[in-house]
Amino acid sequence: MRRPTAALLAPRGCNRAKPSREYRDMRALPGRRLLSLAAVMRHPDLVLKPDPARTVIRPFLPGDPPAFAVPDRPRARRIAERVLAFDEAVLHVALQTTFISLEGRFRDPYALMLRRFDEVAPLLDETDRIGELQRLLIGAYLSEEYAFEAAALFNPSAVLHPDQSSLAPGEIRFIMSLRAIGEGHVSSVTFRTGIWSPSSGDLSIDAPSPTAVAPIVEQGGPGGHTHIHLHCGGSLTVSETVLFPVLPSQRQGIEDVRLTRFVDDDGSVTYHGTFTAFGGAEARSELLSGTDFRSFEMRALAGSAASAKGMALFPRRIDGRYAMLGRQDSENIWLHLSDDLLTWEGGHPLIGPLYPWETVQMGNCGPPIELDEGWLVLTHGVGTVRNYSVGAALLDLDDPSRVLARTPEPILMPEAGERDGYVPNVVYSCGGIVHERTLLLPYGASDSFTAFASVGVDDLLAAMQ
């Protein structure tokens, strides 16, 4: 039997195209190296990878399928009733088994389980007759240990640390927020601290604590905005704090915090972090605010512009008004001005796709950074085969609606070791810092891990057109 040819094997309409002579001639030309300011970016030998051993205790409240719901006996109550039916020997064994597994991983599991019981107590009957050991075990049954960064650790944002003591000359201490992904592809926020010296190039990240602590959550609603208080006093270091979804709008994740060290007109400093709240079907912009990373206010943004991703707050007012970058049309970088930090209306496109590496769409890579020459805006662009690269633009200090210059080529592109991951061919940052005329840019690689790059501001500005 004669073997079928390749043409016969190929599905109809899927015959392999024959390259044209023009294409072959193009391929034969010497490759043009991109101007590649990317070539002068320095990359410290430092990578942050996800660690499945880092876990946090979070609420676990199983429910019933609608057809099997028992309105007067919710599932949490039925679980508590089973615990109350345990005899003393069974109760002791169950508690011992639970606490042996927790005590090596968490600082105070006793307090965690009692706190969880207090949270679910409104769902239960006659809680005054429930003893301490039973409360502990009910709290344990209605909790879960969650590996919040088991799958990915990426899209970092960096700001100056509130504590700049005990440093060598030229060094600064910084805080990074990172997007961590765990079970169910749910995004949470975690933090790291580090020290950087631009002159020496030394960069170090403090080892995270083996313990992670969930915040105490209190709800409020001043001004009609969704308002959550997050108390993180149980964390001994900022790396212990984990912020996971607490609202229906965040059910599928808290994504891509863009930290801003905001200095108000009176000199007061507040750390704001805009982020995307993803409920599984819709996304909206929300805001974290705090002064010391030990407690936060979490508030929803309102207005027509607040339903978009990627909003980033300028680090001070401009002519008495707050300023924000966004990506309202999912294609261009927009500029917004507002008299109210929580309400954002209108706005207009500011920077759009111009060069080949950003032809599909653009967005910001974090809040603008103030230089003597203007506002430095780090941008991301999407090119062929959905490659994400990083570039930069310069806005006028007094009138940020004026674009003074921008980089015609990327300053950062996916390198060989960064192309493979959950989303391949992506480098992406949510914010860098400038010190001694040098930019430090932490960035996520392929939605999987975090790396770092740095470049002189003068080199960056010289590459702009």
Side-chain angles (χ1 to χ4, degrees), residues 1-40:
M1 179 182 293
R2 191 169 65 182
R3 295 179 62 189
T5 64
L8 291 175
L9 290 171
R12 180 172 295 178
C14 296
N15 291 338
R16 183 176 179 182
K18 184 177 181 180
S20 67
R21 179 176 178 179
E22 182 181 21
Y23 174 82
R24 296 196 303 271
D25 290 346
M26 178 275 294
R27 293 282 293 168
L29 292 172
R32 181 180 78 85
R33 187 170 185 176
L34 293 175
L35 161 65
S36 257
L37 186 54
V40 301

Side-chain angles (χ1 to χ4, degrees), residues 214-273:
I216 297 174
V217 180
E218 296 178 356
Q219 294 199 13
H225 297 291
T226 301
H227 193 159
I228 300 292
H229 305 270
L230 301 175
H231 300 277
C232 308
S235 300
L236 299 186
T237 68
V238 70
S239 71
E240 293 188 353
T241 295
V242 182
L243 309 181
F244 47 76
V246 295
L247 294 171
S249 64
Q250 307 163 353
R251 183 175 60 84
Q252 198 57 36
I254 300 173
E255 302 178 357
D256 300 345
V257 174
R258 287 162 162 81
L259 288 176
T260 307
R261 183 180 181 272
F262 187 88
V263 182
D264 216 331
D265 292 343
D266 62 1
S268 61
V269 174
T270 304
Y271 291 91
H272 293 297

Side-chain angles (χ1 to χ4, degrees), residues 34 355-363 379-391 410 412-416 418-420 423-428 444 446-447:
L34 293 175
Y355 300 108
W357 59 277
E358 58 191 21
T359 294
V360 174
Q361 70 184 46
M362 297 190 68
T379 67
H380 74 255
V382 181
T384 57
V385 203
R386 206 174 65 141
N387 273 250
Y388 276 68
S389 301
V390 175
L412 191 65
M413 299 173 290
E415 296 187 346
E418 299 169 344
R419 288 190 171 276
D420 300 326
V423 181
N425 304 319
V426 172
V427 289
Y428 192 94
S446 294
D447 281 18

Side-chain angles (χ1 to χ4, degrees), residues 7 36 43 88 124 190-191 215 221 224 252 268 283 288 303 316 330 382 391 410 442:
S36 257
H43 291 260
E88 187 172 344
L124 310 179
T190 185
F191 299 94
Q252 198 57 36
S268 61
L288 277 176
R316 64 171 173 82
S330 296
V382 181

